[in-house]
Amino acid sequence: MFENLADLKIYEAGKPIELVVREYGIEPKDIIKLASNENPYGPPPKAIQAVKQTANLMHRYPDDSFYELKEGLAKKFDIKDSNIIIGAGSDQVLEFAIHAVMPKKVLMARITFAMYEIYSKQFGAKILKTPSSMHNLDEFYEIYKQEKPEIIFLCIPNNPLGECLDAKDVYEFIEKIDEETLIIIDGAYQEFASFKDKNKEIKPKDVLKYQNVLYTGTFSKAYGLGGMRVGYGIANEFIIKNLHKLRPPFNITTLSLKAAIEALKDEEFVKIGIEKNFEEMKKYEKFAKEHNLKYIESYTNFIVLYIKNSTLIAQNLLKKGIIVRDMASYGFDALRITIGKKEENEKLFTILKGLIN
Amino acid sequence: MFENLADLKIYEAGKPIELVVREYGIEPKDIIKLASNENPYGPPPKAIQAVKQTANLMHRYPDDSFYELKEGLAKKFDIKDSNIIIGAGSDQVLEFAIHAVMPKKVLMARITFAMYEIYSKQFGAKILKTPSSMHNLDEFYEIYKQEKPEIIFLCIPNNPLGECLDAKDVYEFIEKIDEETLIIIDGAYQEFASFKDKNKEIKPKDVLKYQNVLYTGTFSKAYGLGGMRVGYGIANEFIIKNLHKLRPPFNITTLSLKAAIEALKDEEFVKIGIEKNFEEMKKYEKFAKEHNLKYIESYTNFIVLYIKNSTLIAQNLLKKGIIVRDMASYGFDALRITIGKKEENEKLFTILKGLIN
């Protein structure tokens, strides 16, 4: 039994606060988590309030049509309900898409969101990657021509590196790809990228004109609901209708649904969080320059700093209660650090300074 | 694209309260939902309190090891953490198992939980069903011998009919099945069955001695957390380790995790709910006898009443704000009714009396 799973590895999530409490005996209040690109400003206040009021309805399954949430998203993006599918995080929409296509080959950047590879392998696909770590559309096209993968993943901006393709280049690329290949545009961090540079903005509405493009978005990052697992896919009705065939009933919780509906009404909270994110990011860039550290210009809520002996540095930060993501497993001597709140970042700078000098 | 999905149908969930509000203009407070086997007594009070206190942490991903929840379950069932996998409802554990096996054939009772068939078809399996609607282990064994399905589903007690196999018969059956076939025991309603009749009790610990048995349980029914999507699978370490290869990270929400941990500490709430369930069920049996309606003896929190023109009756109940499940799609002129609270059941009896006479 399970012979076909022999090559699959288990995904290693970022260390949770609970584990650092257990392993290092540090008090939860003294732990700074800058490892999972969560929104440091918390969930939207309207979502918190609504969830508290709805907690007594946890015994009830949610409205499985997700009517009100889809209405909210349809209005926000100027599209129709029928162009939307809701997932338990945008991850689950990726899973629906991969399962729906059952690809023999998929194509992605060498360093990109780990779940593309994990889900694709679960469905037996061969993984093709560009030689460059960051997205390079020429390389994507060369491999596409030779290998004709059934799915191409574009992470715009890219997690875990932070770089971002220009929207016009993406659209030009899409035009060159045959309609039998599904192109997935993962927009998990689009709110950040489009705020920083309008040239990076992929409008979900714009993908509807393509027969073979699926856009995915999430409430986990800018909307501050990472723990509630709500994401969405946007595409033409034919794609969405097919993905729905693979959606299990009640795939988000009653409280997740409520929180996401309310988060959409709290755009001011989201905007302020993004503004602060880039103000704080400037401090990381300044810190890097002052200490002669290279970094990747980021269009997200995290930054990759190249640091010698990153694994050791990450461990030493952990002992001080600061959780960051070591990039050694990607072959980089670097840390991926989520941009935290002012005081969190300052504490990190102070400790990191001591470790690298 | 998507040619392999052509035969898949979309699962129709029970009508949510929100839809009845939208379609019939009935106020939410006037709607009685007896359609989805939710716990009518609500979520456990300890879970409500904990979720309200944790709502401000919705931006944080959960501890992906589910350490504390597994500890609680391990203690409850006298097993090890390594015998447990957590799913977004026990449905998701079923999905992991089917995906892990990728069966060519699966076997189930003619009328049983719809997701067995839906998930199995998603992975390309042929569906074998016993001639009898209710579980008949002789029929299961005959088909098993001829067809050698890779998965056998036993729903104990059975949703949506309510009947329940005796544990000793189940164990005898397991002994006769080759280890290359995975037997899944769906215990979603086991808390009800084992309370009513000890002969029906399947102890999760007892399945660990088999190489090829997976037990699934849920917080959705007796534990009052249907909307939070938390279930679990219990099996030997080899099975659990393999299922983990297909578990996406963070597959339950931060608040679901908290609610489930607290629900396990609220066994008194659970016990009282089950006692009330069977007190109220007696009234349904009495009602049925008084009105010459046949019913299936139930070991769950719902009852199937045979009623002529069930589809019309269900529609007329809906117009009065009472949601039940019509069984016509299963080929039965019958209603499946979740046992509600005293006042809900009384209102149903009054209205139903008017409709059938």
Side-chain angles (χ1 to χ4, degrees):
Chain A
M1 218 181 276
F2 310 133
E3 292 79 8
N4 49 330
L5 304 181
D7 291 339
L8 298 184
K9 283 181 193 119
I10 291 174
Y11 174 83
E12 240 351 283
K15 280 188 198 299
I17 289 171
E18 293 84 346
L19 188 127
V20 180
V21 173
R22 291 196 301 272
E23 289 194 356
Y24 295 87
I26 301 169
E27 288 292 309
K29 67 171 177 49
D30 296 328
I31 294 171
I32 295 176
K33 190 180 174 204
L34 302 174
S36 300
N37 306 338
E38 296 150 332
N39 188 331
Y41 307 104
K46 283 188 187 174
I48 297 175
Q49 198 188 350
V51 159
K52 285 182 178 174
Q53 284 166 0
T54 316
N56 62 336
L57 293 176
M58 290 189 287
H59 60 308
R60 295 288 178 204
Y61 290 102
D63 173 2
D64 195 45
S65 73
F66 306 136
Y67 181 83
E68 200 178 342
L69 178 57
K70 284 188 189 168
E71 285 284 300
L73 287 168
K75 201 175 150 198
K76 175 182 163 74
F77 293 125
D78 186 25
I79 57 178
K80 285 191 284 185
D81 293 21
S82 51
N83 295 124
I84 304 171
I85 184 166
I86 303 297
S90 50
D91 301 28
Q92 197 186 31
V93 180
L94 298 174
E95 191 189 359
F96 297 155
I98 296 163
H99 189 161
V101 173
M102 287 274 191
K104 290 195 183 61
K105 297 176 189 171
V106 301
L107 173 58
M108 64 191 73
R110 191 159 74 83
I111 311 288
T112 192
F113 186 45
M115 294 310 297
Y116 307 154
E117 177 166 352
I118 291 174
Y119 284 131
S120 297
K121 279 188 178 165
Q122 287 176 2
F123 291 95
K126 185 182 164 192
I127 313 298
L128 308 171
K129 293 182 179 180
T130 59
S132 296
S133 302
M134 295 187 208
H135 285 61
N136 177 318
L137 288 173
D138 293 335
E139 290 177 6
F140 269 89
Y141 189 62
E142 279 308 307
I143 298 172
Y144 162 74
K145 272 195 304 185
Q146 282 171 35
E147 301 270 0
K148 295 278 167 167
E150 291 100 329
I151 299 182
I152 298 174
F153 295 96
L154 298 176
C155 193
I156 312 176
N158 187 23
N159 173 25
L161 295 183
E163 96 279 7
C164 192
L165 291 169
D166 277 4
K168 74 168 176 34
D169 297 336
V170 173
Y171 294 130
E172 274 176 32
F173 175 77
I174 292 171
E175 299 284 353
K176 293 193 291 182
I177 304 300
D178 192 275
E179 286 193 354
E180 282 303 299
T181 292
L182 180 68
I183 300 167
I184 299 179
I185 297 178
D186 180 344
Y189 298 88
Q190 259 291 317
E191 291 88 351
F192 297 98
S194 57
F195 174 89
K196 182 170 178 171
D197 182 350
K198 280 287 161 206
N199 292 321
K200 309 296 185 188
E201 184 174 17
I202 306 280
K203 289 205 179 96
K205 191 187 166 116
D206 290 342
V207 313
L208 298 186
K209 63 172 175 272
Y210 301 108
Q211 282 312 300
N212 60 330
V213 181
L214 170 67
Y215 177 94
T216 61
T218 184
F219 284 89
S220 297
K221 306 300 170 188
Y223 284 86
L225 294 177
M228 297 306 280
R229 320 304 295 125
V230 190
Y232 48 88
I234 294 175
N236 65 67
E237 290 184 14
F238 176 72
I239 292 179
I240 295 299
K241 206 176 150 187
N242 274 286
L243 298 188
H244 265 115
K245 292 182 177 179
L246 297 169
R247 186 186 68 85
F250 313 125
N251 60 321
I252 67 170
T253 78
T254 298
L255 297 187
S256 303
L257 178 60
K258 193 74 190 170
I261 290 167
E262 293 303 313
L264 279 181
K265 298 175 186 163
D266 223 341
E267 291 289 353
E268 189 61 18
F269 167 86
V270 174
K271 188 167 156 269
I272 292 171
I274 296 172
E275 284 170 3
K276 284 188 198 162
N277 174 69
F278 286 110
E279 279 168 31
E280 292 299 312
M281 196 182 286
K282 280 187 196 142
K283 298 179 190 169
Y284 277 85
E285 294 171 351
K286 185 162 167 276
F287 178 89
K289 284 169 192 158
E290 282 171 5
H291 295 84
N292 284 317
L293 302 172
K294 283 202 294 183
Y295 64 90
I296 299 173
E297 188 180 357
S298 171
Y299 293 83
T300 66
N301 67 347
F302 59 83
I303 189 164
V304 172
L305 296 185
Y306 291 87
I307 286 183
K308 270 183 201 149
N309 302 316
S310 65
T311 303
L312 184 68
I313 301 259
Q315 282 167 357
N316 284 329
L317 284 171
L318 202 55
K319 287 176 192 161
K320 302 275 186 183
I322 298 181
I323 319 174
V324 299
R325 185 67 86 98
D326 177 26
M327 297 289 286
S329 62
Y330 293 99
F332 281 98
D333 229 9
L335 299 177
R336 188 194 70 181
I337 306 171
T338 305
I339 309 299
K341 284 195 281 201
K342 189 167 177 286
E343 57 277 20
E344 295 173 329
N345 301 328
E346 281 166 4
K347 190 169 170 193
L348 173 86
F349 294 145
T350 306
I351 296 174
L352 192 54
K353 208 182 292 187
L355 293 173
I356 57 178
N357 287 326
Chain B
M1 220 182 275
F2 310 131
E3 292 79 9
N4 48 330
L5 304 181
D7 290 340
L8 299 184
K9 281 180 192 121
I10 292 173
Y11 173 81
E12 237 356 278
K15 281 187 198 298
I17 289 171
E18 293 84 346
L19 188 127
V20 180
V21 172
R22 290 195 302 271
E23 289 194 356
Y24 295 87
I26 301 169
E27 288 290 310
K29 67 171 177 50
D30 295 328
I31 295 173
I32 296 176
K33 189 181 175 203
L34 302 174
S36 300
N37 306 338
E38 296 150 331
N39 188 330
Y41 307 104
K46 284 187 185 172
I48 298 176
Q49 197 188 350
V51 158
K52 284 183 179 174
Q53 283 165 1
T54 317
N56 62 336
L57 294 176
M58 289 189 288
H59 59 307
R60 295 288 178 204
Y61 290 102
D63 173 3
D64 195 45
S65 72
F66 306 136
Y67 180 84
E68 200 178 343
L69 177 57
K70 284 188 190 169
E71 286 284 299
L73 287 167
K75 202 174 150 199
K76 175 182 163 75
F77 294 124
D78 187 24
I79 57 176
K80 286 191 283 185
D81 293 21
S82 51
N83 296 125
I84 303 170
I85 185 166
I86 303 297
S90 50
D91 302 28
Q92 197 187 30
V93 180
L94 298 173
E95 190 189 0
F96 297 155
I98 297 163
H99 189 162
V101 174
M102 285 275 191
K104 290 195 181 61
K105 297 175 188 173
V106 302
L107 173 59
M108 64 191 72
R110 190 160 73 84
I111 310 289
T112 192
F113 185 45
M115 294 311 296
Y116 307 153
E117 177 167 351
I118 291 174
Y119 284 131
S120 297
K121 278 188 178 164
Q122 287 175 1
F123 291 95
K126 185 181 163 190
I127 312 298
L128 308 170
K129 293 182 179 180
T130 58
S132 295
S133 302
M134 294 187 209
H135 284 61
N136 178 319
L137 288 174
D138 293 334
E139 291 177 6
F140 270 88
Y141 189 62
E142 279 308 306
I143 298 173
Y144 162 75
K145 273 194 303 184
Q146 283 171 34
E147 301 268 1
K148 296 278 168 167
E150 292 100 329
I151 299 181
I152 297 174
F153 295 96
L154 298 177
C155 194
I156 311 176
N158 187 24
N159 172 25
L161 296 183
E163 96 279 6
C164 191
L165 291 169
D166 277 3
K168 74 167 176 39
D169 296 336
V170 174
Y171 294 130
E172 275 176 32
F173 175 77
I174 292 172
E175 299 284 352
K176 294 192 290 181
I177 304 300
D178 192 275
E179 286 194 353
E180 282 303 298
T181 292
L182 180 68
I183 299 167
I184 299 179
I185 297 178
D186 180 345
Y189 299 87
Q190 258 292 316
E191 290 88 352
F192 297 98
S194 57
F195 174 89
K196 182 170 178 171
D197 182 349
K198 279 289 161 205
N199 294 319
K200 308 298 185 188
E201 185 175 17
I202 306 280
K203 288 203 180 98
K205 191 188 167 116
D206 291 341
V207 313
L208 298 186
K209 63 171 174 273
Y210 301 107
Q211 282 311 300
N212 59 331
V213 181
L214 170 67
Y215 176 93
T216 61
T218 184
F219 285 88
S220 296
K221 307 301 170 187
Y223 284 85
L225 294 177
M228 297 307 279
R229 319 304 297 123
V230 190
Y232 49 87
I234 294 175
N236 65 69
E237 290 183 15
F238 176 73
I239 292 179
I240 295 299
K241 207 177 148 186
N242 273 287
L243 297 189
H244 265 115
K245 292 182 177 178
L246 297 169
R247 187 187 67 86
F250 314 124
N251 60 321
I252 67 169
T253 79
T254 297
L255 297 187
S256 303
L257 178 59
K258 193 75 190 170
I261 289 167
E262 294 303 314
L264 279 182
K265 299 174 186 163
D266 222 341
E267 292 289 353
E268 189 61 19
F269 167 86
V270 174
K271 187 167 156 273
I272 292 171
I274 295 173
E275 284 170 2
K276 285 189 199 160
N277 174 68
F278 286 111
E279 280 168 31
E280 291 298 313
M281 196 182 288
K282 280 187 197 141
K283 298 180 189 168
Y284 277 85
E285 294 170 352
K286 186 162 168 275
F287 178 89
K289 283 168 193 160
E290 282 172 6
H291 296 85
N292 284 316
L293 302 172
K294 283 203 295 182
Y295 65 89
I296 299 173
E297 189 180 356
S298 171
Y299 293 83
T300 66
N301 67 348
F302 58 83
I303 190 165
V304 171
L305 295 185
Y306 292 86
I307 284 182
K308 271 184 202 148
N309 302 316
S310 65
T311 303
L312 184 67
I313 302 258
Q315 281 167 358
N316 284 329
L317 284 170
L318 201 56
K319 287 178 191 160
K320 301 274 186 184
I322 299 181
I323 319 176
V324 299
R325 185 68 85 99
D326 177 27
M327 297 288 288
S329 62
Y330 293 99
F332 282 96
D333 229 9
L335 299 177
R336 189 194 69 181
I337 305 173
T338 305
I339 310 299
K341 284 195 282 200
K342 189 167 178 285
E343 58 276 19
E344 294 172 330
N345 301 327
E346 282 166 3
K347 189 167 173 197
L348 172 86
F349 295 145
T350 306
I351 295 174
L352 192 54
K353 208 182 293 187
L355 293 173
I356 58 178
N357 286 327

